[in-house]
């Protein structure tokens, strides 16, 4: 094998390793978050009915995106600035913010987010996990379910694993059931048959399993 | 005319002997045997892309029923397949352009698909441009290692998409700079590469897109003059010896530069532009600035000046390299336009004879456009080139049309004038055609 050919093969091998390293690192980081991260339930708020259910994912809007501050507070953060929000759980078990800071220095779970706008008495925040990928059929069914359930803040939430300032969506749940499984109980979208009339939609879905701990098989 | 036809014609005219004809034919046949067949490469590349996409669509149909582990494995399949194919080509089929291009292109899309699929599996929302940047960085070396021009062109596309997605991140310049060594290698070959010609269009178009994205906050009156500077720079860049070797239609720098300057000159020929420019300059001068968004305006002015300087440098180098060639007026016209804008802004901001300056600037641009049109008409006639002649005629016709739309002349007069212009176009082309035929017959 000539020297030039050997050099090219070595360079290609290095490139191939880099091409594998990036996705593998992505996987390891997320899997570690799912196994060791703290689980928080983020309430999902209703959005414009003509919302961007674009193709193969749904866009999630969180109740926590608007964080009320105290009256009389002056705006401090710039639009686009990255800040840390400190998370806790409220009395109903859902995620709540108890503090916002430019650095993660205090005890507790902190999450890196972006400030969309600082009004002074309220902060508009952009969370880094606002997409939930689904197949095209499921996304359309999810859109119908989403619109029907909109306004009922207790029923729909995203389970997010938080670790080292980062968060990852483990799943979207309705009445404690994964959205994909919920859709199958009310709407057979694989067959394209609509069964989700007002008479057939259950008010709640009975479930026995714990939230966010089952691995999909 | 094809080589074979030319050889037959020369044989019949007794210009070359049959032995010479055979040697010429053998020489060209041996060249085409080693040369990559562009249509074959394109079709093979297209075929591999379709196979890959088809596979993804089939898998995607049952995506929801699969576990995360299986989805992750599937995400890696195209990537591993592409890497194995490229390694095989490097080891065994290094000299085959078709194999190198198709496997490298497949791997390019496999890298993007792998990252995209994993982002879906783990619901990762990427920061603006992060996905494009990662894809670019992981695939650009592939273009150099596999000598794949297709991958390089796709990387230029990624860089352009990146600058659009990030709304003008300057890292774009570094990404494009990283593609230039390969491009340079293509262009300096003794036998010009058709991929080089494609890149000679792709790169200037990418610059134009990036320029607009980077400066979209600027006031349009300043943006126009910045574009004039950019078009003049592109035109002059197309005149450097390395790029001037290619056919005129393949020189995207020159074509985009010339067309762009023409459109801008026609827009500058209207009074509303100069009125708007003067109005903005006088309105904002009271608070010590020339325009709204002063910070952006300052950057735009600096960029315009820099482009003009670079154009001047290239112009001077061109005149020294080709002293016998007549000077092209594009760069001087661009400098003149910049100077006119500066004068109007200054006089308006200082409220010093602004109205006179505005009228003078509009007249000056109209005269410059007319001179440019006449220059190309004469050049086309001298060099017997229809394209240059017709460009000059169209520019002149466009200028006349703009003036008519700008004026309050009756429709009848406008109609007569347009008919006269049309007749002039037909007569001049007919004269040129007859002149060419007389030249051939003599």
């Amino acid at each position: 094998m000539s020297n030039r050919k050997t050099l090219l093969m070595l360079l290609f091998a290095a490139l191939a390793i880099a091409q594998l390293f990036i996705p593998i690192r992505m996987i390891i980081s997320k899997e570690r978050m799912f196994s060791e991260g703290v689980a928080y339930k983020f309430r999902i708020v209703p959005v414009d009915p003509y919302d961007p259910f674009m193709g193969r994912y749904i866009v999630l809007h969180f109740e926590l995106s608007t964080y009320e501050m105290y009256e009389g507070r002056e705006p401090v953060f710039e639009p686009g600035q990255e800040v840390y929000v400190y998370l806790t759980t409220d009395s109903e078990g859902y995620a709540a913010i108890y503090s916002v800071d430019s650095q993660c220095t205090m005890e507790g779970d902190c999450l890196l987010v972006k400030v969309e706008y600082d009004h002074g008495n309220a902060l508009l925040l952009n969370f880094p996990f606002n997409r939930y990928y689904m197949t095209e059929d499921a996304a359309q069914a999810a859109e119908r379910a989403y619109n029907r359930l909109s306004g009922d803040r207790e029923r729909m939430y995203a389970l997010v694993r938080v670790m080292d300032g980062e968060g990852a969506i483990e799943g979207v749940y309705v009445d404690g059931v994964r959205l994909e499984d919920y859709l199958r109980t009310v709407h057979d979208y694989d067959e394209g048959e609509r069964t989700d009339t007002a008479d057939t939609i259950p008010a709640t879905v009975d479930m026995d399993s714990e939230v966010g701990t089952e691995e999909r098989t | 005319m094809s080589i074979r036809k030319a050889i037959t014609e020369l044989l019949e005219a007794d210009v070359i002997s049959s032995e010479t004809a055979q040697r010429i034919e053998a020489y060209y046949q041996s060249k085409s045997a080693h040369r990559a067949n562009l249509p074959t490469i394109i079709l093979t590349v297209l075929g591999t892309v379709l196979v890959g996409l088809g596979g993804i669509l089939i898998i995607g149909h049952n995506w929801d029923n699969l576990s995360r582990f299986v989805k992750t494995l599937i995400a890696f399949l195209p990537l591993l397949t592409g890497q194995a194919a490229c390694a095989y080509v490097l080891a065994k089929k290094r000299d085959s352009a078709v194999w190198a291009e198709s496997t490298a292109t497949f791997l390019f899309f496999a890298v993007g698909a792998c990252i995209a699929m994993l982002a879906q599996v783990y619901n990762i929302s990427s920061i603006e441009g992060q996905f494009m940047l990662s894809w670019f960085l992981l695939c650009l070396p592939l273009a150099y290692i596999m000598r794949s021009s297709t991958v390089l062109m796709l990387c230029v596309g990624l860089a352009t998409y990146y600058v659009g997605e990030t709304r003008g991140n300057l890292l774009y310049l570094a990404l494009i700079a990283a593609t230039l060594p390969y491009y340079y290698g293509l262009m300096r070959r003794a036998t010009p590469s058709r991929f080089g010609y494609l890149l000679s269009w792709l790169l200037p178009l990418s610059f134009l897109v990036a320029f607009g994205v980077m400066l979209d906050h600027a006031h349009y009156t300043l943006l126009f003059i910045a574009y004039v500077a950019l078009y003049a720079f592109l035109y002059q860049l197309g005149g450097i010896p390395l790029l001037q070797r290619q056919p005129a239609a393949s020189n995207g720098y020159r074509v985009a530069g010339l067309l762009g300057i023409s459109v801008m000159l026609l827009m500058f020929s209207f009074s509303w532009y100069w009125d708007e420019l003067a109005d903005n300059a006088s309105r904002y001068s009271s608070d010590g600035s020339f325009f709204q968004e002063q910070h952006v305006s300052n950057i735009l002015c600096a960029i315009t000046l820099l482009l003009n300087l670079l154009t001047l440098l290239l112009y001077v180098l061109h005149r020294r390299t080709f002293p016998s060639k007549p000077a092209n007026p594009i760069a001087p016209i661009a400098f003149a336009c910049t100077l006119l804008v500066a004068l109007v802004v200054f006089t308006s901001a200082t409220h010093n004879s602004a109205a006179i300056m505005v009228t003078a600037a509009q007249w000056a641009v109209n005269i410059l456009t007319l001179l440019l049109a006449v220059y190309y008409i004469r050049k086309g006639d001298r060099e017997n080139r229809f394209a240059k002649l017709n460009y000059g005629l169209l520019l002149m016709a466009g200028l006349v049309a703009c003036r008519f739309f700008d004026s309050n002349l009756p429709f009848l007069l406008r109609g007569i004038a347009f008919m006269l212009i049309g007749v002039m176009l037909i007569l001049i082309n007919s004269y040129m055609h007859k002149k060419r035929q007389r030249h051939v017959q003599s």
Side-chain angles (χ1 to χ4, degrees), chain B residues 317-396:
Chain B
L317 285 171
H318 189 264
R319 297 297 302 136
R320 283 192 185 170
T321 312
F322 305 105
S324 57
K325 277 192 175 180
N328 194 289
I330 295 290
I333 285 175
F335 300 148
C337 289
T338 307
L339 184 63
L340 286 169
V341 166
L343 283 170
V344 167
V345 167
F346 180 73
T347 53
S348 302
T350 55
H351 305 287
N352 204 359
S353 312
I356 299 170
M357 195 60 231
V358 163
T359 309
Q362 190 195 355
W363 272 94
V365 167
N366 276 275
I367 291 167
L368 287 172
T369 311
L370 187 64
L371 288 174
L372 183 65
V374 166
Y375 170 84
Y376 271 97
I377 290 168
R378 287 192 61 200
K379 194 172 184 192
D381 180 37
R382 227 179 16 246
E383 295 174 10
N384 210 12
R385 297 279 199 95
F386 273 99
K388 289 183 185 180
L389 173 82
N390 282 315
Y391 163 73
L393 288 170
L394 281 170
L395 183 61
M396 191 181 284

Side-chain angles (χ1 to χ4, degrees), chain A residues 15-164:
Chain A
L15 179 64
I17 289 168
Q19 288 174 347
L20 290 168
F21 174 73
I22 300 294
I24 288 173
R25 192 180 68 161
M26 203 191 297
I27 293 167
I28 291 172
S29 163
K30 293 302 170 196
E31 287 293 340
R32 211 176 130 230
M33 223 178 276
F34 289 150
S35 61
E36 295 171 29
V38 178
Y40 284 92
K41 296 195 294 186
F42 279 68
R43 282 200 187 92
I44 301 171
V45 295
V47 291
D48 184 336
Y50 304 106
D51 60 10
F53 278 80
M54 292 181 277
R56 299 170 60 83
Y57 63 87
I58 58 175
V59 176
L60 305 175
H61 294 260
F62 302 108
E63 203 175 72
L64 291 183
S65 294
T66 305
Y67 177 54
E68 301 288 341
M69 307 286 274
Y70 55 87
E71 275 298 323
R73 175 184 170 273
E74 290 295 318
V76 170
F77 302 116
E78 295 291 328
Q81 185 178 347
E82 287 183 331
V83 297
Y84 287 92
V85 294
Y86 288 86
L87 297 174
T88 183
T89 48
D90 61 16
S91 55
E92 288 158 347
Y94 289 93
I97 298 172
Y98 70 87
S99 183
V100 179
D101 199 356
S102 53
Q103 291 179 347
C104 184
T105 49
M106 299 194 298
E107 286 283 321
D109 297 315
C110 60
L111 184 65
L112 185 66
V113 301
K114 263 194 188 171
V115 173
E116 190 176 325
Y117 198 78
D118 186 350
H119 288 284
N121 57 347
L123 278 179
L124 290 181
L125 304 168
N126 276 329
F127 287 85
F129 39 79
N130 58 359
R131 287 187 184 184
Y132 189 66
Y133 287 93
M134 310 181 78
T135 59
E136 192 118 13
D137 293 339
Q140 286 172 3
E143 178 185 1
R144 287 193 289 272
Y146 201 100
N147 290 333
R148 277 196 312 276
L149 294 168
S150 66
D152 192 342
R153 58 199 290 271
E154 302 301 322
R155 299 189 71 181
M156 209 161 172
Y157 60 88
L159 188 74
V160 178
R161 295 280 182 177
V162 176
M163 194 173 96
D164 296 334

